[in-house]
Amino acid sequence: MSRIADDATTAWIRRYHPSDGSAVRLVCFPHAGGSASFFHPVSVRFAPEVDVVALQYPGRQDRRTEPCVEDIGKLADLLCEEIRGLSEKPTVFFGHSMGAVLAFETALRLEELGANPPRAIVASGRRAPSSRRDERVHQEDDAGVITELRALNGTDAAVFGNDELLRMALPAIRGDYRAIETYTCPPGRRVRCAVTVLTGDADPRTSLAEAEAWQDHTEGAFHMRVFSGGHFFLAGHQDEVNAEILQELDAARAAGS
């Protein structure tokens, strides 16, 4: 397997502030319809002391001509192969919404392979992997998908006012919704690493009980913090969210030294 340099960027791996001298790594998994650039502020906060890697899924931004991967398992397989190419370094995964599930599934694969699995997962804005709801946004027409996006309030308002941008974004959004809405996970499936869950108290897609159920999916330490706000609560609590991430990064650094 070819190795990816600590300051390199690829189709999948985005580094907005590359540094080859960091002692710990943060890998960021975007939400449904999201892109690597969503985590640019996280990179601003932590780089260059932390190697901040933001993942870019196919079907969006500069990868918009590539077909979306509409299956969580297949996408996790691909992400696992990419992350295996990174250097050995204490690592924390941070995923929001669909990204939290992908972080979980990718961590499971890396643990099984013994290939530099994460020391912790920070799962934001997503119910536990085995908490199932009958959601079918991916089967809605374009107007229905847009209604869902407005309800979650996580899409730049400028996109809604620009037909061209919206047409470009909808295929990736629909593909991601198909992936996450058809995903299933057995109740007993667990990662060995620690899990920290961040959730909004008014998230229409995740109840507090569904968020707390993440503790059934880890053999490691479990911590949950509730913020005021909806599905994209982290936009209004960036400093507090960063503090939670920093705590896991410090623990990973200490464990790896």
Side-chain angles (χ1 to χ4, degrees), residues 2 11-12 36 50 76 86 88 97 117 137 142 154 185 240 245 250:
S2 60
W12 293 85
V50 175
L86 297 172
E88 295 280 330
S97 194
V137 174
D142 288 353
C185 175
E240 296 99 318
I245 296 170
D250 285 345

Side-chain angles (χ1 to χ4, degrees), residues 92-153:
V92 173
F93 283 179
F94 173 40
H96 183 69
S97 194
M98 182 184 81
V101 171
L102 279 167
F104 172 77
E105 288 290 336
T106 305
L108 282 168
R109 286 157 172 77
L110 292 169
E111 287 181 348
E112 185 175 323
L113 293 168
N116 196 26
R119 305 295 179 100
I121 297 171
V122 179
S124 167
R126 179 68 191 181
R127 55 188 178 270
S130 61
S131 297
R132 179 92 177 134
R133 293 189 185 189
D134 185 17
E135 295 176 333
R136 306 182 186 185
V137 174
H138 71 279
Q139 296 178 352
E140 298 280 351
D141 60 14
D142 288 353
V145 174
I146 292 169
T147 297
E148 168 72 5
L149 297 178
R150 290 186 185 277
L152 297 183
N153 198 31

Side-chain angles (χ1 to χ4, degrees), residues 24-28 42 46 50-54 90-94 122 245 249:
V24 66
R25 175 177 294 124
L26 179 67
V27 180
C28 303
V42 177
F46 290 110
V50 175
D51 177 23
V52 180
V53 170
T91 297
V92 173
F93 283 179
F94 173 40
V122 179
I245 296 170
L249 288 169

